[in-house]
Amino acid sequence: MLALHHLAVKTRNLIKSEVFYAQMLGLPLLKRHDDARGPRSIWLGLGNSGAFLAVERADDLGAPTRLDDAAGWHCVALTMEVSARADWIAKLEAGGHPIFHQTP
């Protein structure tokens, strides 16, 4: 049987990313990994499946090259109760994260 183990995303600012994923979205912090240069990655839980989100330090700080219509990962969607949607939208927007698109 195949199952999701983890997703990984690179970031230019690991601290800001942790604030967003852990504090804003409430994903539980599972582990921190450091190397000789400091924080290297954080792992955040993704529900009861055991899967996690690995947020990793980007060493190349050049501009991202992915275009929206390019092949590759396009979206990662999190599930929520429909009744909680308005509260999540308000929380994200109040935290400076405007909603650009949502699905029913």
Side-chain angles (χ1 to χ4, degrees):
M1 177 182 98
L2 292 177
L4 179 65
H5 183 265
H6 73 278
L7 300 170
V9 63
K10 295 270 190 171
T11 182
R12 289 185 174 130
N13 190 317
L14 197 55
I15 306 270
K16 280 186 177 181
S17 294
E18 181 177 350
V19 167
F20 178 75
Y21 289 109
Q23 293 179 16
M24 180 64 62
L25 295 184
L27 298 180
L29 180 64
L30 303 176
K31 291 184 183 179
R32 289 180 193 277
H33 297 276
D34 297 324
D35 61 18
R37 294 187 359 227
R40 181 181 56 84
S41 72
I42 56 172
W43 292 3
L44 301 136
L46 293 173
N48 296 328
S49 68
F52 63 92
L53 173 64
V55 182
E56 302 175 351
R57 180 186 67 221
D59 291 322
D60 177 2
L61 300 181
T65 57
R66 188 188 185 297
L67 302 173
D68 195 43
D69 289 334
W73 288 105
H74 173 71
C75 174
V76 174
L78 302 174
T79 188
M80 70 182 72
E81 296 294 328
V82 174
S83 61
R85 182 181 285 225
D87 290 339
W88 273 108
I89 290 170
K91 179 178 180 176
L92 289 165
E93 288 181 343
H97 306 284
I99 306 300
F100 294 101
H101 177 76
Q102 56 183 300
T103 59

Coordinates of all heavy atoms in Angstrom, one line a residue:
M1 N 0.8 -1.2 0.0 CA 0.0 0.0 0.0 C 0.9 1.3 0.0 O 1.9 1.3 0.7 CB -0.9 0.0 1.2 CG -1.7 1.3 1.3 SD -2.7 1.3 2.8 CE -1.7 2.3 3.8
L2 N 0.5 2.2 -0.8 CA 1.2 3.5 -0.8 C 0.5 4.5 0.0 O -0.8 4.5 0.0 CB 1.4 4.0 -2.3 CG 2.3 3.2 -3.2 CD1 2.3 3.8 -4.6 CD2 3.7 3.2 -2.6
A3 N 1.2 5.3 0.7 CA 0.5 6.4 1.4 C 1.5 7.6 1.5 O 2.7 7.4 1.2 CB 0.3 5.9 2.9
L4 N 1.0 8.8 1.7 CA 1.8 10.0 1.8 C 2.7 9.9 3.0 O 2.2 9.7 4.1 CB 0.9 11.2 1.8 CG 1.6 12.5 1.9 CD1 2.4 12.8 0.7 CD2 0.6 13.7 2.2
H5 N 4.0 10.1 2.8 CA 4.9 10.2 3.9 C 5.1 11.6 4.3 O 4.9 12.0 5.5 CB 6.2 9.5 3.6 CG 7.2 9.5 4.7 ND1 8.2 10.4 4.9 CD2 7.3 8.6 5.7 CE1 8.9 10.2 5.9 NE2 8.4 9.1 6.5
H6 N 5.5 12.5 3.4 CA 5.7 13.9 3.6 C 5.7 14.7 2.3 O 5.9 14.2 1.3 CB 7.0 14.2 4.5 CG 8.3 14.0 3.7 ND1 8.9 12.8 3.5 CD2 9.1 15.0 3.2 CE1 10.0 13.0 2.9 NE2 10.1 14.3 2.6
L7 N 5.5 16.0 2.5 CA 5.6 17.0 1.4 C 6.8 17.9 1.9 O 6.9 18.1 3.1 CB 4.4 17.8 1.2 CG 3.1 17.0 0.9 CD1 1.9 17.9 1.0 CD2 3.2 16.5 -0.5
A8 N 7.5 18.4 1.0 CA 8.6 19.3 1.3 C 8.5 20.6 0.5 O 8.1 20.6 -0.7 CB 10.0 18.7 1.1
V9 N 8.8 21.7 1.2 CA 8.8 23.0 0.5 C 10.0 23.8 0.9 O 10.5 23.6 2.1 CB 7.5 23.8 0.8 CG1 7.4 24.1 2.3 CG2 7.4 25.1 0.0
K10 N 10.7 24.4 0.0 CA 11.8 25.3 0.3 C 11.4 26.7 0.6 O 10.5 27.2 0.0 CB 12.8 25.3 -0.9 CG 13.4 23.9 -1.2 CD 14.7 23.8 -0.4 CE 15.4 22.5 -0.9 NZ 16.7 22.5 -0.3
T11 N 12.1 27.4 1.5 CA 11.7 28.7 1.9 C 12.9 29.6 2.0 O 14.0 29.1 2.4 CB 10.9 28.7 3.2 OG1 10.5 30.1 3.5 CG2 11.7 28.2 4.3
R12 N 12.8 30.9 1.8 CA 13.9 31.8 2.0 C 14.0 32.2 3.4 O 15.0 32.7 3.9 CB 13.6 33.1 1.1 CG 13.8 32.8 -0.3 CD 13.7 34.1 -1.1 NE 14.0 33.9 -2.4 CZ 13.3 34.3 -3.5 NH1 12.2 34.9 -3.2 NH2 13.7 34.0 -4.7
N13 N 12.9 32.1 4.2 CA 12.8 32.5 5.6 C 12.1 31.5 6.4 O 10.9 31.4 6.5 CB 12.1 33.9 5.7 CG 12.3 34.5 7.0 OD1 12.2 33.8 8.1 ND2 12.5 35.8 7.1
L14 N 12.9 30.6 7.0 CA 12.4 29.5 7.8 C 11.6 30.0 9.0 O 10.6 29.5 9.4 CB 13.6 28.6 8.3 CG 13.2 27.2 8.8 CD1 12.4 26.5 7.7 CD2 14.4 26.5 9.2
I15 N 12.0 31.1 9.6 CA 11.3 31.7 10.8 C 9.9 32.1 10.4 O 8.9 31.8 11.1 CB 12.1 32.8 11.4 CG1 13.5 32.4 11.7 CG2 11.4 33.4 12.6 CD1 13.8 31.8 13.1
K16 N 9.8 32.9 9.3 CA 8.5 33.4 8.9 C 7.6 32.2 8.5 O 6.4 32.2 8.7 CB 8.6 34.4 7.7 CG 9.0 35.8 8.1 CD 9.0 36.7 6.9 CE 9.2 38.1 7.3 NZ 9.2 39.0 6.1
S17 N 8.2 31.2 7.9 CA 7.4 30.1 7.4 C 6.9 29.3 8.6 O 5.8 28.8 8.6 CB 8.3 29.1 6.6 OG 8.6 29.8 5.4
E18 N 7.7 29.2 9.7 CA 7.2 28.5 10.9 C 6.1 29.3 11.5 O 5.1 28.7 12.0 CB 8.4 28.3 11.9 CG 7.9 27.6 13.2 CD 9.0 27.3 14.2 OE1 10.2 27.5 13.8 OE2 8.7 26.9 15.3
V19 N 6.2 30.6 11.6 CA 5.1 31.4 12.1 C 3.8 31.2 11.3 O 2.8 31.0 11.9 CB 5.5 32.9 12.1 CG1 4.3 33.8 12.4 CG2 6.6 33.2 13.1
F20 N 3.9 31.1 10.0 CA 2.7 30.9 9.2 C 2.2 29.5 9.4 O 1.0 29.4 9.8 CB 3.0 31.1 7.7 CG 1.8 30.8 6.8 CD1 0.8 31.7 6.8 CD2 1.8 29.7 6.1 CE1 -0.3 31.5 6.0 CE2 0.7 29.4 5.3 CZ -0.4 30.3 5.2
Y21 N 3.0 28.5 9.2 CA 2.4 27.1 9.3 C 2.1 26.7 10.7 O 1.1 26.0 10.9 CB 3.4 26.1 8.6 CG 3.5 26.2 7.1 CD1 4.6 26.8 6.5 CD2 2.5 25.9 6.3 CE1 4.7 26.9 5.2 CE2 2.6 26.0 4.9 CZ 3.7 26.5 4.4 OH 3.8 26.6 3.0
A22 N 2.9 27.0 11.6 CA 2.6 26.5 13.0 C 1.7 27.4 13.8 O 0.7 27.0 14.4 CB 4.0 26.4 13.8
Q23 N 1.9 28.8 13.7 CA 1.1 29.7 14.5 C -0.2 30.0 13.8 O -1.3 30.0 14.4 CB 1.9 30.9 14.9 CG 3.0 30.6 15.9 CD 3.8 31.8 16.2 OE1 3.4 32.9 16.0 NE2 5.0 31.6 16.8
M24 N -0.1 30.4 12.5 CA -1.3 30.8 11.8 C -2.2 29.6 11.4 O -3.4 29.7 11.7 CB -0.9 31.6 10.5 CG -2.0 32.1 9.6 SD -3.1 33.3 10.4 CE -1.9 34.6 10.7
L25 N -1.6 28.6 10.8 CA -2.4 27.4 10.5 C -2.6 26.4 11.6 O -3.5 25.6 11.5 CB -1.8 26.7 9.3 CG -1.8 27.5 8.0 CD1 -1.3 26.6 6.8 CD2 -3.1 28.1 7.6
G26 N -1.7 26.5 12.6 CA -1.9 25.6 13.7 C -1.3 24.2 13.5 O -1.7 23.3 14.2
L27 N -0.5 24.0 12.5 CA 0.1 22.7 12.3 C 1.1 22.4 13.4 O 1.9 23.3 13.8 CB 0.9 22.6 11.0 CG 0.0 22.8 9.7 CD1 0.9 22.7 8.5 CD2 -1.1 21.8 9.7
P28 N 1.1 21.3 14.1 CA 1.9 21.0 15.2 C 3.4 20.8 14.8 O 3.7 20.1 13.8 CB 1.4 19.7 15.8 CG 0.6 19.0 14.7 CD 0.1 20.2 13.8
L29 N 4.3 21.4 15.5 CA 5.7 21.3 15.2 C 6.2 19.9 15.7 O 6.0 19.6 16.9 CB 6.5 22.4 15.9 CG 8.0 22.3 15.7 CD1 8.4 22.5 14.3 CD2 8.7 23.4 16.6
L30 N 6.7 19.1 14.8 CA 7.2 17.7 15.2 C 8.7 17.7 15.5 O 9.1 17.0 16.5 CB 6.9 16.7 14.1 CG 5.4 16.6 13.7 CD1 5.3 15.7 12.5 CD2 4.5 16.2 14.8
K31 N 9.5 18.3 14.6 CA 10.9 18.3 14.8 C 11.6 19.5 14.2 O 11.0 20.1 13.3 CB 11.5 17.1 14.0 CG 11.2 15.7 14.6 CD 11.9 14.6 13.8 CE 11.6 13.3 14.4 NZ 12.2 12.2 13.6
R32 N 12.7 19.8 14.7 CA 13.6 20.9 14.1 C 14.9 20.2 13.8 O 15.4 19.4 14.5 CB 13.9 22.0 15.2 CG 12.8 22.8 15.5 CD 13.3 23.9 16.5 NE 12.1 24.6 17.1 CZ 11.5 25.6 16.6 NH1 11.9 26.1 15.4 NH2 10.5 26.1 17.2
H33 N 15.5 20.6 12.7 CA 16.8 20.1 12.2 C 17.7 21.3 12.0 O 17.3 22.2 11.3 CB 16.6 19.3 10.9 CG 15.8 18.1 11.1 ND1 16.3 16.9 11.6 CD2 14.5 17.9 10.9 CE1 15.3 16.0 11.7 NE2 14.2 16.6 11.2
D34 N 18.9 21.2 12.6 CA 19.9 22.2 12.4 C 21.1 21.6 11.8 O 21.3 20.4 11.8 CB 20.3 22.8 13.8 CG 19.1 23.5 14.5 OD1 18.3 24.2 13.8 OD2 19.0 23.5 15.7
D35 N 21.9 22.5 11.2 CA 23.2 22.1 10.7 C 24.2 23.2 11.2 O 23.9 24.0 12.0 CB 23.2 21.9 9.2 CG 22.9 23.1 8.4 OD1 23.0 24.2 8.9 OD2 22.6 22.9 7.2
A36 N 25.4 23.1 10.7 CA 26.5 24.1 11.1 C 26.1 25.5 10.9 O 26.6 26.4 11.5 CB 27.8 23.8 10.4
R37 N 25.2 25.8 9.9 CA 24.8 27.2 9.6 C 23.5 27.6 10.4 O 23.0 28.7 10.1 CB 24.6 27.3 8.1 CG 25.9 27.1 7.4 CD 25.8 27.4 5.9 NE 24.5 27.8 5.4 CZ 24.0 27.3 4.3 NH1 24.6 26.4 3.6 NH2 22.8 27.6 3.9
G38 N 22.9 26.7 11.2 CA 21.7 27.1 11.9 C 20.5 26.2 11.5 O 20.7 25.1 11.1
P39 N 19.3 26.8 11.7 CA 18.1 26.0 11.3 C 18.1 25.6 9.9 O 18.4 26.4 9.0 CB 17.0 27.0 11.6 CG 17.6 28.1 12.5 CD 19.0 28.1 12.2
R40 N 17.9 24.3 9.6 CA 17.9 23.7 8.3 C 16.5 23.4 7.8 O 16.1 23.6 6.7 CB 18.8 22.5 8.2 CG 18.9 21.9 6.9 CD 19.7 20.6 6.9 NE 19.3 19.6 7.8 CZ 18.4 18.7 7.6 NH1 17.7 18.6 6.5 NH2 18.1 17.8 8.5
S41 N 15.6 22.8 8.8 CA 14.3 22.5 8.4 C 13.4 22.3 9.6 O 14.0 22.1 10.7 CB 14.2 21.2 7.5 OG 14.6 20.1 8.3
I42 N 12.1 22.4 9.4 CA 11.2 22.0 10.5 C 10.2 21.1 9.9 O 9.9 21.1 8.7 CB 10.4 23.3 11.0 CG1 9.8 24.1 9.9 CG2 11.4 24.2 11.8 CD1 8.9 25.2 10.4
W43 N 9.7 20.2 10.7 CA 8.7 19.2 10.3 C 7.4 19.5 11.1 O 7.4 19.7 12.3 CB 9.1 17.8 10.6 CG 10.3 17.3 9.7 CD1 11.0 18.0 8.8 CD2 10.8 16.0 9.8 NE1 12.0 17.2 8.3 CE2 11.9 16.0 8.9 CE3 10.5 14.8 10.5 CZ2 12.7 14.8 8.6 CZ3 11.3 13.7 10.3 CH2 12.4 13.7 9.3
L44 N 6.3 19.6 10.3 CA 5.0 19.9 10.9 C 4.0 18.8 10.6 O 4.0 18.4 9.4 CB 4.5 21.3 10.3 CG 5.5 22.4 10.6 CD1 5.7 23.3 9.4 CD2 5.0 23.2 11.8
G45 N 3.2 18.5 11.5 CA 2.2 17.4 11.4 C 1.1 17.8 10.4 O 0.7 18.9 10.4
L46 N 0.6 16.8 9.7 CA -0.5 16.9 8.8 C -1.6 16.0 9.1 O -1.9 15.1 8.4 CB 0.0 16.7 7.3 CG 0.9 17.7 6.7 CD1 1.4 17.3 5.3 CD2 0.3 19.1 6.6
G47 N -2.2 16.1 10.3 CA -3.3 15.3 10.6 C -2.9 14.0 11.3 O -1.8 13.8 11.7
N48 N -3.8 13.0 11.3 CA -3.6 11.8 12.0 C -3.0 10.7 11.1 O -2.8 9.6 11.6 CB -5.0 11.2 12.5 CG -5.6 12.2 13.5 OD1 -4.9 12.8 14.3 ND2 -6.9 12.2 13.5
S49 N -2.6 11.0 9.9 CA -2.1 10.0 9.0 C -0.6 9.7 9.3 O -0.1 8.7 8.8 CB -2.2 10.4 7.5 OG -1.4 11.5 7.3
G50 N 0.1 10.6 10.0 CA 1.5 10.4 10.2 C 2.3 11.2 9.2 O 3.5 11.3 9.3
A51 N 1.7 11.7 8.1 CA 2.3 12.5 7.1 C 2.7 13.8 7.7 O 2.1 14.3 8.7 CB 1.4 12.7 5.9
F52 N 3.8 14.4 7.1 CA 4.2 15.7 7.6 C 4.6 16.7 6.5 O 4.9 16.2 5.4 CB 5.3 15.6 8.7 CG 6.6 15.0 8.2 CD1 7.6 15.8 7.7 CD2 6.8 13.6 8.2 CE1 8.8 15.2 7.2 CE2 7.9 13.0 7.7 CZ 9.0 13.8 7.2
L53 N 4.7 17.9 6.8 CA 5.2 19.0 5.9 C 6.6 19.3 6.4 O 6.8 19.7 7.5 CB 4.3 20.2 6.0 CG 4.8 21.4 5.2 CD1 4.9 21.1 3.7 CD2 3.9 22.6 5.5
A54 N 7.6 19.1 5.5 CA 9.0 19.5 5.8 C 9.2 20.9 5.1 O 9.1 21.0 3.9 CB 9.9 18.5 5.2
V55 N 9.5 21.9 6.0 CA 9.8 23.2 5.5 C 11.3 23.4 5.6 O 11.8 23.3 6.7 CB 9.0 24.3 6.3 CG1 9.3 25.7 5.7 CG2 7.5 24.0 6.2
E56 N 12.0 23.5 4.5 CA 13.4 23.5 4.5 C 14.0 24.8 4.0 O 13.4 25.5 3.1 CB 13.9 22.4 3.5 CG 13.3 21.0 4.0 CD 13.6 19.9 3.0 OE1 14.2 20.2 1.9 OE2 13.4 18.7 3.4
R57 N 15.2 25.1 4.5 CA 15.9 26.4 4.2 C 16.3 26.3 2.7 O 16.9 25.3 2.3 CB 17.1 26.5 5.1 CG 18.0 27.7 4.8 CD 19.2 27.7 5.6 NE 20.1 26.6 5.2 CZ 20.8 25.9 6.1 NH1 20.7 26.1 7.4 NH2 21.6 24.9 5.7
A58 N 16.1 27.3 1.9 CA 16.6 27.4 0.6 C 18.0 28.0 0.6 O 18.2 29.1 1.2 CB 15.6 28.3 -0.3
D59 N 18.9 27.3 0.0 CA 20.3 27.9 0.0 C 20.5 28.8 -1.2 O 21.3 29.7 -1.2 CB 21.3 26.7 0.0 CG 21.3 26.0 1.3 OD1 21.2 26.6 2.3 OD2 21.4 24.8 1.3
D60 N 19.7 28.6 -2.3 CA 19.8 29.5 -3.4 C 18.7 30.5 -3.3 O 17.5 30.2 -3.4 CB 19.6 28.7 -4.7 CG 19.6 29.5 -6.0 OD1 19.8 30.8 -5.9 OD2 19.4 29.0 -7.1
L61 N 19.1 31.8 -3.0 CA 18.1 32.8 -2.8 C 17.8 33.6 -4.0 O 17.2 34.6 -4.0 CB 18.6 33.8 -1.7 CG 18.9 33.1 -0.4 CD1 19.3 34.1 0.7 CD2 17.6 32.4 0.1
G62 N 18.1 33.0 -5.2 CA 17.7 33.6 -6.5 C 16.1 33.6 -6.6 O 15.4 33.0 -5.9
A63 N 15.7 34.3 -7.6 CA 14.2 34.4 -7.8 C 13.7 33.1 -8.2 O 14.3 32.3 -9.0 CB 13.9 35.5 -8.9
P64 N 12.5 32.7 -7.7 CA 11.9 31.4 -8.2 C 11.6 31.5 -9.7 O 11.3 32.5 -10.2 CB 10.5 31.4 -7.4 CG 10.7 32.4 -6.3 CD 11.7 33.4 -6.8
T65 N 11.7 30.3 -10.3 CA 11.5 30.3 -11.8 C 10.2 29.6 -12.2 O 9.9 29.6 -13.4 CB 12.7 29.6 -12.5 OG1 12.8 28.3 -11.9 CG2 14.0 30.3 -12.2
R66 N 9.5 29.0 -11.3 CA 8.3 28.3 -11.7 C 7.2 29.3 -12.1 O 6.9 30.3 -11.4 CB 7.8 27.5 -10.5 CG 6.6 26.6 -10.9 CD 6.0 25.9 -9.8 NE 5.0 25.0 -10.2 CZ 3.8 25.3 -10.8 NH1 3.6 26.5 -11.1 NH2 2.9 24.4 -11.1
L67 N 6.6 29.0 -13.2 CA 5.4 29.8 -13.7 C 4.2 29.0 -13.4 O 4.2 27.8 -13.3 CB 5.5 30.0 -15.2 CG 6.8 30.7 -15.7 CD1 6.9 30.7 -17.2 CD2 6.9 32.1 -15.1
D68 N 3.1 29.7 -13.2 CA 1.8 29.0 -12.8 C 1.4 27.9 -13.8 O 0.8 26.9 -13.3 CB 0.7 30.0 -12.6 CG -0.5 29.4 -11.8 OD1 -0.2 28.7 -10.8 OD2 -1.6 29.7 -12.2
D69 N 1.7 28.1 -15.0 CA 1.2 27.1 -16.0 C 2.3 26.0 -16.3 O 2.1 25.1 -17.1 CB 0.9 27.7 -17.3 CG -0.4 28.5 -17.2 OD1 -1.3 28.2 -16.4 OD2 -0.6 29.5 -18.0
A70 N 3.4 26.0 -15.5 CA 4.5 25.1 -15.7 C 4.1 23.7 -15.1 O 3.3 23.6 -14.2 CB 5.8 25.6 -15.1
A71 N 4.7 22.7 -15.6 CA 4.5 21.3 -15.1 C 5.1 21.3 -13.7 O 6.0 22.0 -13.4 CB 5.2 20.3 -16.0
G72 N 4.6 20.4 -12.9 CA 5.1 20.2 -11.5 C 4.0 20.4 -10.5 O 2.8 20.6 -10.8
W73 N 4.3 20.3 -9.2 CA 3.4 20.5 -8.1 C 2.7 21.9 -8.3 O 3.4 22.9 -8.5 CB 4.0 20.5 -6.8 CG 4.4 19.1 -6.4 CD1 5.7 18.6 -6.4 CD2 3.6 18.0 -6.0 NE1 5.7 17.3 -6.0 CE2 4.4 16.9 -5.7 CE3 2.2 17.9 -5.8 CZ2 3.9 15.7 -5.3 CZ3 1.7 16.6 -5.4 CH2 2.6 15.6 -5.1
H74 N 1.4 21.9 -8.2 CA 0.7 23.2 -8.4 C 0.0 23.6 -7.2 O 0.0 24.8 -6.9 CB -0.4 23.0 -9.5 CG -1.3 24.1 -9.7 ND1 -0.9 25.3 -10.2 CD2 -2.6 24.3 -9.3 CE1 -1.9 26.2 -10.2 NE2 -2.9 25.6 -9.7
C75 N -0.5 22.7 -6.4 CA -1.3 23.1 -5.2 C -1.2 22.0 -4.2 O -1.2 20.9 -4.5 CB -2.7 23.3 -5.7 SG -3.9 23.6 -4.4
V76 N -1.2 22.5 -2.9 CA -1.5 21.6 -1.8 C -2.7 22.2 -1.1 O -2.7 23.3 -0.7 CB -0.2 21.5 -0.9 CG1 -0.5 20.7 0.4 CG2 1.0 21.0 -1.6
A77 N -3.7 21.4 -0.9 CA -4.9 21.9 -0.3 C -5.1 21.2 1.0 O -4.9 20.0 1.2 CB -6.1 21.6 -1.2
L78 N -5.5 22.0 2.0 CA -5.8 21.5 3.4 C -7.3 21.4 3.5 O -8.0 22.2 3.0 CB -5.2 22.4 4.4 CG -3.7 22.6 4.3 CD1 -3.2 23.6 5.4 CD2 -2.9 21.3 4.5
T79 N -7.8 20.4 4.3 CA -9.2 20.3 4.5 C -9.6 21.0 5.8 O -8.8 21.1 6.7 CB -9.6 18.8 4.5 OG1 -11.0 18.7 4.5 CG2 -9.0 18.1 5.6
M80 N -10.9 21.4 5.8 CA -11.4 22.0 7.0 C -12.9 21.8 7.0 O -13.5 21.5 6.0 CB -11.1 23.5 7.0 CG -11.9 24.3 6.0 SD -11.5 26.1 5.9 CE -9.9 26.1 5.3
E81 N -13.5 22.0 8.1 CA -15.0 21.9 8.2 C -15.6 23.1 7.5 O -15.0 24.2 7.6 CB -15.4 21.9 9.7 CG -15.0 20.7 10.5 CD -15.6 19.4 10.0 OE1 -16.8 19.4 9.5 OE2 -14.9 18.4 10.1
V82 N -16.6 22.9 6.7 CA -17.2 24.0 6.0 C -17.7 25.1 7.0 O -17.5 26.3 6.7 CB -18.5 23.5 5.2 CG1 -19.2 24.7 4.5 CG2 -18.0 22.5 4.1
S83 N -18.1 24.7 8.1 CA -18.6 25.7 9.1 C -17.4 26.6 9.6 O -17.7 27.7 10.2 CB -19.3 25.0 10.3 OG -18.4 24.2 10.9
A84 N -16.2 26.2 9.5 CA -15.0 26.9 9.9 C -14.4 27.8 8.9 O -13.5 28.6 9.2 CB -14.0 26.0 10.5
R85 N -14.9 27.8 7.7 CA -14.3 28.5 6.5 C -14.2 30.0 6.8 O -13.2 30.6 6.6 CB -15.1 28.2 5.2 CG -14.4 29.0 4.1 CD -15.2 28.7 2.8 NE -14.9 27.4 2.3 CZ -14.6 27.1 1.1 NH1 -14.6 28.0 0.2 NH2 -14.3 25.8 0.7
A86 N -15.3 30.6 7.2 CA -15.4 32.1 7.4 C -14.3 32.5 8.5 O -13.7 33.5 8.4 CB -16.8 32.5 7.8
D87 N -14.2 31.7 9.5 CA -13.3 32.0 10.6 C -11.8 31.9 10.1 O -11.0 32.7 10.4 CB -13.5 31.1 11.8 CG -14.8 31.3 12.6 OD1 -15.3 32.4 12.4 OD2 -15.2 30.4 13.3
W88 N -11.6 30.9 9.3 CA -10.2 30.7 8.7 C -9.9 31.9 7.8 O -8.8 32.4 7.8 CB -10.1 29.4 8.0 CG -9.7 28.3 8.8 CD1 -10.5 27.2 9.3 CD2 -8.4 28.1 9.4 NE1 -9.7 26.4 10.1 CE2 -8.5 26.9 10.2 CE3 -7.2 28.7 9.4 CZ2 -7.4 26.4 10.9 CZ3 -6.1 28.3 10.1 CH2 -6.2 27.1 10.9
I89 N -10.8 32.3 7.0 CA -10.6 33.4 6.1 C -10.3 34.7 6.9 O -9.3 35.4 6.6 CB -11.8 33.6 5.1 CG1 -11.9 32.4 4.1 CG2 -11.7 34.9 4.4 CD1 -13.1 32.4 3.3
A90 N -11.1 34.9 7.9 CA -10.8 36.1 8.7 C -9.5 36.0 9.4 O -8.7 37.0 9.4 CB -12.0 36.2 9.7
K91 N -9.1 34.9 9.9 CA -7.8 34.7 10.6 C -6.7 34.9 9.7 O -5.7 35.7 10.0 CB -7.7 33.3 11.2 CG -6.4 33.1 11.9 CD -6.4 31.7 12.6 CE -5.1 31.4 13.3 NZ -5.0 30.2 14.0
L92 N -6.7 34.3 8.5 CA -5.6 34.5 7.5 C -5.5 36.0 7.0 O -4.4 36.5 7.0 CB -5.9 33.6 6.3 CG -5.6 32.1 6.6 CD1 -6.2 31.2 5.5 CD2 -4.1 31.8 6.8
E93 N -6.6 36.6 6.7 CA -6.6 38.0 6.2 C -6.1 38.9 7.4 O -5.3 39.8 7.1 CB -8.0 38.4 5.7 CG -8.2 37.7 4.4 CD -9.6 38.1 3.7 OE1 -10.5 38.6 4.4 OE2 -9.7 37.8 2.5
A94 N -6.5 38.7 8.6 CA -6.1 39.5 9.7 C -4.6 39.3 9.9 O -3.9 40.3 10.4 CB -6.8 39.1 11.0
G95 N -4.0 38.2 9.6 CA -2.6 37.9 9.7 C -1.8 38.4 8.5 O -0.6 38.1 8.4
G96 N -2.5 39.1 7.6 CA -1.7 39.6 6.4 C -1.6 38.6 5.3 O -0.8 38.7 4.4
H97 N -2.5 37.6 5.2 CA -2.5 36.5 4.2 C -3.8 36.6 3.4 O -4.7 35.8 3.7 CB -2.2 35.2 4.8 CG -1.0 35.1 5.6 ND1 0.3 35.1 5.1 CD2 -0.8 35.1 7.0 CE1 1.2 35.1 6.1 NE2 0.5 35.1 7.2
P98 N -3.9 37.5 2.5 CA -5.2 37.6 1.8 C -5.5 36.3 1.0 O -4.6 35.6 0.5 CB -5.0 38.8 0.8 CG -3.6 38.9 0.7 CD -3.0 38.4 1.9
I99 N -6.8 36.0 0.8 CA -7.3 34.9 0.0 C -7.5 35.3 -1.4 O -8.2 36.2 -1.7 CB -8.6 34.3 0.6 CG1 -8.5 34.0 2.1 CG2 -9.1 33.1 -0.2 CD1 -7.5 33.0 2.5
F100 N -6.8 34.7 -2.4 CA -6.9 35.0 -3.8 C -7.8 34.1 -4.5 O -8.4 34.5 -5.5 CB -5.5 35.0 -4.4 CG -4.6 36.0 -3.9 CD1 -3.6 35.7 -3.0 CD2 -4.7 37.3 -4.3 CE1 -2.7 36.7 -2.5 CE2 -3.9 38.3 -3.8 CZ -2.9 38.0 -2.9
H101 N -8.0 32.9 -4.0 CA -8.9 31.9 -4.7 C -9.3 30.9 -3.7 O -8.5 30.5 -2.8 CB -8.1 31.2 -5.8 CG -8.9 30.2 -6.5 ND1 -9.9 30.4 -7.4 CD2 -8.8 28.8 -6.4 CE1 -10.4 29.3 -7.8 NE2 -9.8 28.3 -7.3
Q102 N -10.5 30.4 -3.8 CA -11.0 29.3 -3.0 C -12.0 28.5 -3.8 O -12.6 29.0 -4.8 CB -11.6 29.8 -1.7 CG -12.7 30.8 -1.9 CD -13.2 31.3 -0.5 OE1 -13.7 30.5 0.3 NE2 -13.1 32.6 -0.3
T103 N -12.1 27.2 -3.4 CA -13.1 26.4 -4.1 C -14.3 26.1 -3.2 O -14.1 26.2 -1.9 CB -12.4 25.0 -4.4 OG1 -11.9 24.4 -3.2 CG2 -11.3 25.2 -5.4
P104 N -15.4 25.7 -3.8 CA -16.5 25.4 -2.9 C -16.3 24.2 -2.0 O -16.8 24.0 -1.0 CB -17.7 25.1 -3.9 CG -17.1 25.2 -5.2 CD -15.7 25.5 -5.2

